[in-house]
């Protein structure tokens, strides 16, 4: 697995779901993680290790060391799955044993068109988004390789809401939000955090005095200090959690009264868990399109990045807390919208088939497998 590690942990968690699906289908499968050191945000190493993997680091490549580096990191692979790392596909020339599957993210600009020659060199391309998000026309250029699976989701072992709350020792109502090192930049991230804290504070002064804010996936608590409008000493109703194993993080998301989501992986996970969501999409096309689609589908409340203020979030939080029947219906609509297409199981079946077909072709040519 080669996930993107230049932003948040969404690509790591998505490949983690795929890895678990592969192991369920074939317990003999061994999964390794390779992270590109040149584009690495260090907390992503901890995120991979939380899943039980010790990642290999892919160092910078030069014309002189390219083959040796690629082979040292990847030559034992039967199949390589990159998540939004298709710029590494040319390394296939150094790795004849391995098949290659690419999982692109929704394009930020025109990079999906610019990179289609890389996708053309793969064995398969997986589009892992819900049907309510329009598929980019650029993928028609690799239609013969394309598999549409829907999001990779794995919620089967997550306890139901009340059981999750009991297991985590939670009694008060709370909003869950994962700053995750501010992957959409400090301007957006600081505005979102300020709005979340002050939005909850406004409700605590009114009809919801017991409401809490749980901040998840905070690798370094120091990143929460020095932010305009955010006190360096947080009030006791703001509960800070570090990086946690995926099972614990998903249980906390299910236990929440409201999930405040900014990234597409969190939106997909929250929808699948059935937790009412307020969306503050990061300012890129992927998250904006998914949030707007969920809002059109009446599956979530969504606040545009430039409109993310304490007042806007307080209104959205109150809409969920003050009408639990409609909030449950909203969450059910979101769940129905994202749990389609076969997801991780379909993607895992494809990965195993691609690997087997690649080995068979090499064997037929008398090459080492």
């Amino acid at each position: 697995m080669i996930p993107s590690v230049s932003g948040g942990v969404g690509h790591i968690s998505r490949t983690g779901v795929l890895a678990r699906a592969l192991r369920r289908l074939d317990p003999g499968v061994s999964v390794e993680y390779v992270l590109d050191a040149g584009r690495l945000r260090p907390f992503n190493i901890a995120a991979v290790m939380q899943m039980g993997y010790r990642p290999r680091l892919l160092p910078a490549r030069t014309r002189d060391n390219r083959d040796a580096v690629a082979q040292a990191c990847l030559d034992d692979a039967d199949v390589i799955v990159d998540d939004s790392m298709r710029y590494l596909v040319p390394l296939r020339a150094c790795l004849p044993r391995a098949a290659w599957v690419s999982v692109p993210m929704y394009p930020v600009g025109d990079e999906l068109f610019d990179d289609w020659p890389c996708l053309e060199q793969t064995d398969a391309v997986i589009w892992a988004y819900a049907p309510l998000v329009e598929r980019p026309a650029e993928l028609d250029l690799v239609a013969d390789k394309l598999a549409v699976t829907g999001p990779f989701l794995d919620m089967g072992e997550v306890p139901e809401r009340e059981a999750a709350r009991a297991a985590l020792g939670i009694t008060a109502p709370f909003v869950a939000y994962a700053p995750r090192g501010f992957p959409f930049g400090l301007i957006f991230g600081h505005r979102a955090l300020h709005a979340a804290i002050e939005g909850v504070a406004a409700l605590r002064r009114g009809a919801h005095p017991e409401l809490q804010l749980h901040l998840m996936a905070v690798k370094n608590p120091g990143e929460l200090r020095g932010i305009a409008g955010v006190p360096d000493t947080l009030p006791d109703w703001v509960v800070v959690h570090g990086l946690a194993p995926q099972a614990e993080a998903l249980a906390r998301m299910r236990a929440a009264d409201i999930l405040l989501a900014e990234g597409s992986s969190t939106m997909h996970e929250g929808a699948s868990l059935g937790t009412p969501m307020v969306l503050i999409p990061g300012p890129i096309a992927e998250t904006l399109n998914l949030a707007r689609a969920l809002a059109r589908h009446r599956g979530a409340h969504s606040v545009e990045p430039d409109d993310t203020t304490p007042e806007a979030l307080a209104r959205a939080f109150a809409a969920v807390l003050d009408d639990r029947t409609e909030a449950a219906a909203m969450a059910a609509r979101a769940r129905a919208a994202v749990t389609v297409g076969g997801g991780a199981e379909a993607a895992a079946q494809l990965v195993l088939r691609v690997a087997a077909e690649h080995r068979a072709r090499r064997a037929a040519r008398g090459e080492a497998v």
Side-chain angles (χ1 to χ4, degrees), residues 207-248:
H208 303 281
E210 296 184 352
L211 186 63
Q212 296 180 346
L213 175 64
H214 286 215
L215 300 179
M216 304 167 56
V218 178
K219 171 66 173 174
N220 175 17
E223 70 190 16
L224 306 180
R225 301 190 187 99
I227 298 174
V230 176
D232 284 346
T233 300
L234 296 173
D236 58 7
W237 47 266
V238 178
V239 184
V240 178
H241 304 276
L243 286 175
Q246 183 76 347
E248 179 183 332

Side-chain angles (χ1 to χ4, degrees), residues 149-174:
T149 65
F152 299 172
L153 301 165
D154 182 12
M155 309 299 161
E157 298 183 4
V158 181
E160 293 301 320
R161 181 172 182 271
E162 291 307 318
R165 290 175 68 86
L168 294 168
I170 295 170
T171 56
F174 75 99

Side-chain angles (χ1 to χ4, degrees), residues 59-361:
R61 280 81 58 204
T62 68
R63 184 181 183 191
D64 294 327
N65 73 5
R66 174 218 319 124
D67 289 26
V69 165
Q71 290 163 11
C73 289
L74 295 162
D75 196 43
D76 57 342
D78 292 295
V79 59
I80 296 166
V81 179
D82 86 80
D83 188 327
S84 309
M85 298 287 282
R86 55 189 172 272
Y87 67 87
L88 293 176
V89 170
L91 292 180
R92 286 202 76 176
C94 317
L95 304 164
R97 287 187 62 252
W100 198 297
V101 176
S102 192
V103 186
M105 68 177 280
Y106 196 97
V108 174
D110 202 25
E111 73 276 9
L112 201 54
F113 177 81
D114 292 341
D115 293 348
W116 77 263
C118 289
L119 295 176
E120 181 63 30
Q121 299 303 314
T122 67
D123 295 282
V125 178
I126 296 175
W127 184 244
Y129 290 89
L132 76 170
V133 176
E134 182 180 4
R135 191 172 78 221
E138 303 94 293
L139 288 176
D140 292 345
L141 294 165
V142 289
D144 60 322
K145 300 175 183 292
L146 187 64
V148 180
T149 65
F152 299 172
L153 301 165
D154 182 12
M155 309 299 161
E157 298 183 4
V158 181
E160 293 301 320
R161 181 172 182 271
E162 291 307 318
R165 290 175 68 86
L168 294 168
I170 295 170
T171 56
F174 75 99
V175 176
Y177 172 51
R180 301 177 305 149
F182 306 122
F184 295 106
L186 295 183
I187 293 175
F188 172 84
H190 288 183
R191 181 195 303 135
L193 181 61
H194 169 245
I197 292 174
E198 292 303 315
V200 171
L203 296 190
R204 286 178 61 84
R205 293 191 293 267
H208 303 281
E210 296 184 352
L211 186 63
Q212 296 180 346
L213 175 64
H214 286 215
L215 300 179
M216 304 167 56
V218 178
K219 171 66 173 174
N220 175 17
E223 70 190 16
L224 306 180
R225 301 190 187 99
I227 298 174
V230 176
D232 284 346
T233 300
L234 296 173
D236 58 7
W237 47 266
V238 178
V239 184
V240 178
H241 304 276
L243 286 175
Q246 183 76 347
E248 179 183 332
L250 291 173
R252 194 171 301 279
M253 289 165 63
R254 176 162 272 171
D257 295 80
I258 301 169
L259 177 64
L260 182 61
E262 61 183 31
S264 59
S265 292
T266 307
M267 294 181 203
H268 283 142
E269 289 165 350
S272 180
L273 289 166
T275 302
M277 293 191 296
V278 172
L279 309 179
I280 47 171
I284 63 172
E286 177 194 38
T287 48
L288 288 167
N289 281 330
L290 179 56
R292 290 165 181 167
L294 283 166
R296 287 194 302 271
H297 197 70
R298 297 172 56 228
H301 297 284
S302 185
V303 179
E304 292 286 300
D306 289 343
D307 299 328
T308 300
T309 62
E311 296 76 16
L313 292 193
R315 287 192 297 270
F317 295 158
V320 173
L321 297 171
D322 294 343
D323 190 343
R324 297 285 187 158
T325 300
E326 171 52 28
M330 178 181 73
R333 289 190 289 269
R335 175 184 277 174
V338 305
T339 53
V340 293
E345 296 295 321
Q349 291 171 0
L350 174 64
V351 169
L352 293 175
R353 183 170 70 251
V354 163
E357 291 173 351
H358 185 72
R359 285 196 302 271
R361 287 194 297 269

Side-chain angles (χ1 to χ4, degrees), residues 37-58:
R39 304 193 181 192
L40 178 62
R41 299 186 79 190
F43 67 81
N44 281 303
I45 297 176
V48 172
M49 295 184 73
Q50 284 281 5
M51 297 194 305
Y53 299 100
R54 186 174 182 84
R56 308 172 187 179
L57 297 184
L58 181 68

